[in-house]
Amino acid sequence: MNGGEGRRRLAARASAGKGAAAHRSAGARRRLARGGGEVPLDRLTTRGRLAWLNSAGSRIGTTLDLERTAQELAEFTVPRFADGAAVDILDSVLRGDEGAQWTGTGVPLMRATALCCVEELSSLEPTPVGETFVRAEEAHETLLHRYCLRQGRPVLVSRMRSDDFIKVAPTESAAAKMRAAGVHSYLAVPLIARGLLLGSADFVRGRGAPPFSSTDLALAEHLASQAAVYIDNARLYGREREHVVSLQRALLPRATPVTPGLRVHAEYAPSTAHHGVGGDWYDIMALPGGRTALMVGDVMGHGLPAAATMGRLRTVARTLMTLDMAPERVLARLDLATRDLEDEQVATFLCAVFDPADSTYTLASAGHLPPLFLDGHGSAEFVDVPVGAPLGAGVIPYDPIRVKVPRGGNLVMYTDGLVKSRRADIDHQLECLRSTACGLASEALEAGGLIERAPADATRFDEAVLIVATAVSEAPADLREWQLPQEGRAASVARSLVTDQLAEWDLTELTDVFELVVSELVGNALRYGNGPGRLRLLRGDRLVVEVSDTGPDLPQIQHADLSDEGGRGLQLINMLCRRWGSCRTVTGKVVWAEQNLPS
């Protein structure tokens, strides 16, 4: 794909309907000259031409979108400066790479990026916008555009001869159509910013317009120099945005863990705006005892600093949830961690822990928007979670709320990018979200349909995170829970319950290990925890057993001397099991252990 043909395509493309936003006829040019609109530059004084050139700053580079900036350059020059314009950008630049001084053979790979032309040139055959183009170099060593790109200098053909058209147009057919359309003058200028080639801009004039002059060449060079800076700024911003999006996605979960009793869909949607990438995140974690933690957060601000802060907070949150801490305690610790950040960031956060044994959620919020609860029968309401201060504000404590979910019920957690709008207040947008969720079929809701139908719609200016969790049963078939007696026979009862259940699950080869493990857990609860509470056994990816009690102290492995009568229970559990742990609850604590299932 030869960049040299850019001019040819250029002229040709000038006609393309894709880029043509201002089609004017030669007759229209004459009417304009008589005062019916903008006066062509060839009829202006030097001061008028300089004023036109100066106005480019307000009409080119209005966004940080590279393709849009190229299109604005083409539209700015038609019809006052040229009857047709085409902008071609190096394919490497469109991918975010640096521009370059071309030293290889032929011409660099170019991509048609923008087109604009008057109506009389609409019959030409340009290279369509978005396509790269190739031309056999050996067949046309005299391509005019090749010189422009290789030397970084403009090319001016005031009056085109018959053999000039094939040096400009992308194909023989396009060259013939240029002749038939009355194209008679051609000008190409390189787009160079910070000493590096980015692409080129080609211009043509047709019937009724004077040929390009040396004055026009000077104007085009100044305009190209100015526009190249805007294009390079857009390239740099686009590259930074891609880096932030890549970092953002790398810090989000790559897979959803096994969630007993739940079916979870999670989705991250970048904004359509270039600045709307940064600090939204979500996480889904499997906890001991078959519980599941769902988390969403939003760091204030955008860009790389917000994304970096998000990654740090997500890591802290995962570490805290690994300890199986209660949601309100996780938020309190996260607030302390946020205040320790050097950049003094503030974030909102919502945490929900689902327990499949009783199909309940325990929720706590740090300044986050309320989750939406759908009962599965057409009703939807926002959960009235006590709203604490955002993380980093230093206002503790946080208060939890417990909500029971029926089978088929949905909990929807999200960030404000899903509802935020510049045209409506947040209460109105939340009501729109509620009614939209009610109107979605359960399959569409669970598939993330709210992303496209949310009040902020597909043109949202901020990124969004969505989690939809659906309760699939009152209690999973692989979860068993029993109340243990408070007296000394509790260990014997626990061993019997576990043995029978393992036999029912065809896991008898784990019986010996789990009889010993449950005996030690119950024994610790009797000695240090005011007696055992509930025994829970879960079969999932692994087999997990846990015993609750009302004792305040978390167990720790102690060093036991040879003469000591006790102190070796947790050492045995640590050696026999894949891992073990403990966590505090509202009424005391839970101690658990897990083992791999037989292959």
Side-chain angles (χ1 to χ4, degrees):
M1 309 184 207
N2 302 355
E5 301 119 26
R7 315 126 281 166
R8 316 165 248 154
R9 314 154 292 153
L10 227 254
R13 291 180 284 156
S15 59
K18 270 189 180 174
H23 289 284
R24 309 259 175 87
S25 66
R29 288 175 60 89
R30 289 191 289 273
R31 288 195 301 275
L32 290 173
R34 289 196 298 268
E38 295 179 323
V39 180
L41 293 184
D42 57 87
R43 295 178 179 266
L44 292 179
T45 63
T46 301
R47 176 175 294 182
R49 294 176 181 177
L50 291 175
W52 171 82
L53 187 63
N54 186 60
S55 67
S58 61
R59 296 178 57 184
I60 303 175
T62 59
T63 69
L64 285 171
D65 181 271
L66 195 153
E67 288 84 358
R68 180 59 200 161
T69 301
Q71 185 63 41
E72 288 171 346
L73 169 60
E75 293 176 359
F76 179 72
T77 59
V78 177
R80 297 194 69 187
F81 179 75
D83 290 330
V87 180
D88 305 318
I89 305 296
L90 269 67
D91 191 60
S92 59
V93 170
L94 290 171
R95 296 195 305 267
D97 297 337
E98 298 280 351
Q101 291 285 2
W102 185 252
T103 57
T105 60
V107 292
L109 183 63
M110 305 284 287
R111 189 177 295 275
T113 308
L115 296 169
C116 190
C117 69
V118 298
E119 188 175 355
E120 279 78 2
L121 301 184
S122 61
S123 62
L124 302 184
E125 294 180 353
T127 301
V129 168
E131 291 190 8
T132 55
F133 43 91
V134 179
R135 186 136 178 227
E137 176 193 351
E138 62 276 8
H140 296 284
E141 282 292 329
T142 58
L143 289 177
L144 299 178
H145 207 175
R146 178 184 175 188
Y147 174 84
C148 175
L149 294 172
R150 292 289 303 272
Q151 303 298 323
R153 295 181 180 180
V155 172
L156 171 63
V157 181
S158 293
R159 297 187 181 277
M160 298 178 69
R161 300 187 303 271
S162 178
D163 59 344
D164 287 329
F165 290 96
I166 195 59
K167 300 176 184 179
V168 171
T171 63
E172 298 278 356
S173 173
K177 291 198 173 184
M178 287 181 66
R179 293 191 198 94
V183 173
H184 62 82
S185 192
Y186 171 78
L187 174 61
V189 289
L191 298 172
I192 298 175
R194 303 174 178 93
L196 298 175
L197 176 68
L198 304 178
S200 65
D202 296 3
F203 307 99
V204 295
R205 285 181 179 174
R207 294 188 183 99
F212 288 115
S213 65
S214 58
T215 300
D216 295 322
L217 174 60
L219 279 174
E221 287 186 286
H222 282 289
L223 179 63
S225 176
Q226 187 175 355
V229 173
Y230 299 145
I231 290 173
D232 198 45
N233 287 342
R235 176 192 67 82
L236 291 170
Y237 191 88
R239 185 172 66 178
E240 179 182 352
R241 183 176 186 273
E242 285 301 315
H243 290 168
V244 174
V245 171
S246 297
L247 173 62
Q248 181 91 341
R249 291 192 181 280
L251 293 173
L252 294 176
R254 297 187 179 183
T256 300
V258 176
T259 53
L262 276 186
R263 185 168 56 244
V264 182
H265 172 87
E267 190 169 345
Y268 166 76
S271 73
T272 55
H274 286 277
H275 66 278
V277 180
D280 289 24
W281 89 92
Y282 71 90
D283 212 342
I284 303 167
M285 291 184 61
L287 302 178
R291 291 176 291 272
T292 301
L294 309 173
M295 298 174 278
V296 293
D298 185 0
V299 177
M300 305 301 180
H302 300 95
L304 198 58
T309 298
M310 175 273 285
R312 295 157 79 179
L313 291 182
R314 178 176 177 253
T315 300
V316 175
R318 284 190 67 86
T319 302
L320 295 173
M321 289 308 304
T322 300
L323 301 176
D324 204 7
M325 297 174 64
E328 66 274 16
R329 292 176 59 84
V330 170
L331 265 60
R333 295 291 184 127
L334 267 178
D335 176 78
L336 295 174
T338 307
R339 279 185 273 169
D340 286 340
L341 296 179
E342 297 177 358
D343 45 6
E344 298 182 353
Q345 290 275 16
V346 175
T348 64
F349 185 71
L350 176 65
C351 180
V353 174
F354 177 76
D355 191 337
D358 54 7
S359 196
T360 60
Y361 284 101
T362 302
L363 301 106
S365 172
H368 204 81
L369 292 175
L372 181 64
F373 170 65
L374 293 88
D375 63 3
H377 303 288
S379 177
E381 297 295 338
F382 288 102
V383 182
D384 190 19
V385 183
V387 181
L391 302 177
V395 181
I396 300 175
Y398 297 96
D399 298 319
I401 187 174
R402 196 174 181 86
V403 179
K404 186 170 181 62
V405 184
R407 180 174 182 176
N410 305 106
L411 185 73
V412 179
M413 302 166 65
Y414 54 93
T415 55
D416 60 2
L418 201 65
V419 296
K420 195 157 54 175
S421 170
R422 293 189 174 99
R423 300 181 299 273
D425 62 47
I426 190 65
D427 291 334
H428 171 77
Q429 294 295 92
L430 287 174
E431 178 58 29
C432 289
L433 178 68
R434 189 189 69 80
S435 60
T436 300
C438 282
L440 283 176
S442 58
E443 296 80 6
L445 180 67
E446 293 180 36
L450 274 179
I451 286 288
E452 294 302 325
R453 299 197 191 181
D457 64 48
T459 61
R460 61 187 169 273
F461 63 90
D462 197 3
E463 61 187 344
V465 157
L466 174 69
I467 292 180
V468 179
T470 305
V472 296
S473 64
E474 296 294 342
D478 289 344
L479 175 65
R480 295 290 185 271
E481 191 172 69
W482 304 276
Q483 180 67 45
L484 294 176
Q486 295 291 304
E487 62 269 16
R489 68 186 185 92
S492 174
V493 171
R495 286 194 298 271
S496 176
L497 292 170
V498 168
T499 299
D500 292 344
Q501 189 59 54
L502 291 180
E504 182 180 330
W505 284 343
D506 197 22
L507 295 174
T508 53
E509 57 190 289
L510 295 179
T511 300
D512 292 342
V513 171
F514 268 77
E515 279 188 344
L516 178 57
V517 169
V518 76
S519 295
E520 292 297 338
L521 293 179
V522 172
N524 277 339
L526 286 168
R527 178 174 295 185
Y528 306 110
N530 303 321
R534 300 188 70 82
L535 167 67
R536 179 181 291 193
L537 193 65
L538 172 71
R539 180 184 62 176
D541 287 349
R542 302 180 182 91
L543 188 64
V544 182
V545 61
E546 66 174 39
V547 175
S548 65
D549 61 56
T550 58
D553 299 324
L554 298 180
Q556 294 182 0
I557 295 179
Q558 304 291 333
H559 176 73
D561 293 331
L562 293 176
S563 59
D564 291 342
E565 295 183 1
R568 296 181 178 84
L570 289 180
Q571 291 183 9
L572 287 173
I573 293 175
N574 188 58
M575 289 187 294
L576 293 172
C577 295
R578 179 180 181 274
R579 62 174 184 162
W580 70 277
S582 62
C583 65
R584 297 189 188 279
T585 64
V586 176
T587 58
K589 67 176 180 292
V590 166
V591 185
W592 55 269
E594 71 175 24
Q595 183 62 285
N596 291 328
L597 294 175
S599 58

